[in-house]
């Protein structure tokens, strides 16, 4: 209890600028932890949704039926399902156009899937830039508060005839708290940024592989439909 009171007293006794630095670092830490929990929940949900959709897609069912099932609940479409939905919709639209080359139809579906993947990537990477900023700048902000606090401590020594450890120690301790708070804000942000960036990259890689596999299926379907039309 005495340690907690002493820590609080050191913060209260710090200079206004150092207190401002501490407050900004505390706010950055709270916001970064909010972003960390949000990204953890979002990425976990995206991985689960991708697993569930792949199971449905590769189960051998009718892709048209799968598309119509997604189309009934557009607000729930996300991730890999969004990539599939965009590609299949564009494929069906272009296939109905007369005189379209099969490769042009497939290329149009592929472009639609790339656009959908870009939007999904933006959604997955939300808040990651903030975590990177907190992780890279917080130690320097804390160091600035420390330097300023130590400068004030030594400046105060000029007004006394005899400098003792008891006079300088509180000021230095106040200043070092700013560095500690900077590290407290930066370390979790850096760890979370590295981990979630890797998770996002792996998810986007899964989406990209799926888009290529789906494009192959659409290409076969387009040639089959053309041959059937020619035979008729």
């Amino acid at each position: 209890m005495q340690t907690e009171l002493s820590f609080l007293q050191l913060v209260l006794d710090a200079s206004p600028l150092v207190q401002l630095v501490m407050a900004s670092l505390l706010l950055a830490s709270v916001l970064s932890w909010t972003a960390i929990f949000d990204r953890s929940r979002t990425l976990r949900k995206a991985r689960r949704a991708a697993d569930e959709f792949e199971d449905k897609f590769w189960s051998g069912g009718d892709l048209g039926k799968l598309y119509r099932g997604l189309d009934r609940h557009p607000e729930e479409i996300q991730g890999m399902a969004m990539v599939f939905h965009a590609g299949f919709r564009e494929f069906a639209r272009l296939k109905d156009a007369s005189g379209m080359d099969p490769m042009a139809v497939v290329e149009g579906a592929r472009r639609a899937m790339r656009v959908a993947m870009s939007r999904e990537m933006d959604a997955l990477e939300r808040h990651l830039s903030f975590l990177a900023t907190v992780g890279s700048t917080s130690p320097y902000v804390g160091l600035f508060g420390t330097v300023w606090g130590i400068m004030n401590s030594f400046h105060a020594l000029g007004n006394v005839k005899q400098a003792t450890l008891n006079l300088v120690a509180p000021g230095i301790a106040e200043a070092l708290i700013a560095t500690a708070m900077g590290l407290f804000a930066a370390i979790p942000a850096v760890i979370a940024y590295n981990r979630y960036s890797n998770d996002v990259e792996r998810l986007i890689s899964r989406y990209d592989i799926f888009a290529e596999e789906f494009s192959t299926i659409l290409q076969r379907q387009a040639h089959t439909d053309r041959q059937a039309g020619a035979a008729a």
Side-chain angles (χ1 to χ4, degrees), residues 40-72:
S40 176
R41 183 174 59 254
T42 299
L43 292 173
R44 185 170 57 251
K45 183 179 179 181
R47 286 192 297 269
R48 185 168 59 249
D51 292 337
E52 293 175 355
F53 178 78
E54 279 191 316
D55 290 340
K56 293 179 182 178
F57 182 85
W58 296 112
S59 64
D62 181 21
L63 295 183
K65 183 178 180 181
L66 178 60
Y67 171 79
R68 290 188 295 273
L70 292 173
D71 215 30
R72 284 195 291 268

Side-chain angles (χ1 to χ4, degrees), residues 3-53:
T3 303
E4 295 177 358
L5 292 176
S6 299
F7 176 83
L8 179 61
Q9 192 62 43
L10 288 173
V11 173
L12 294 177
D13 291 341
S15 64
L17 182 59
V18 176
Q19 288 180 340
L20 179 62
V21 168
M22 293 178 182
S24 64
L25 290 173
L26 180 61
L27 177 62
S29 180
V30 171
L31 293 177
S32 66
W33 276 106
T34 302
I36 288 170
F37 290 129
D38 176 74
R39 288 302 87 192
S40 176
R41 183 174 59 254
T42 299
L43 292 173
R44 185 170 57 251
K45 183 179 179 181
R47 286 192 297 269
R48 185 168 59 249
D51 292 337
E52 293 175 355
F53 178 78

Side-chain angles (χ1 to χ4, degrees), residues 86-159:
F88 194 94
R89 180 181 58 193
E90 187 67 9
F91 176 79
R93 187 183 69 83
L94 295 177
K95 189 179 67 171
D96 292 338
S98 59
M100 286 288 294
D101 182 74
M103 290 305 300
V105 173
V106 174
E107 185 57 34
R110 187 179 283 114
R111 284 195 300 269
M113 286 189 285
R114 283 199 293 266
V115 172
M117 280 193 293
S118 296
R119 291 173 179 169
E120 290 301 307
M121 183 183 297
D122 289 340
L124 292 174
E125 290 181 340
R126 190 175 298 128
H127 303 318
L128 289 187
S129 60
F130 173 75
L131 291 177
T133 301
V134 172
S136 60
T137 61
S138 292
Y140 297 103
V141 174
L143 183 61
F144 170 75
T146 297
V147 171
W148 187 268
I150 292 177
M151 286 173 56
N152 286 338
S153 296
F154 281 105
H155 179 73
L157 291 178
N159 299 325

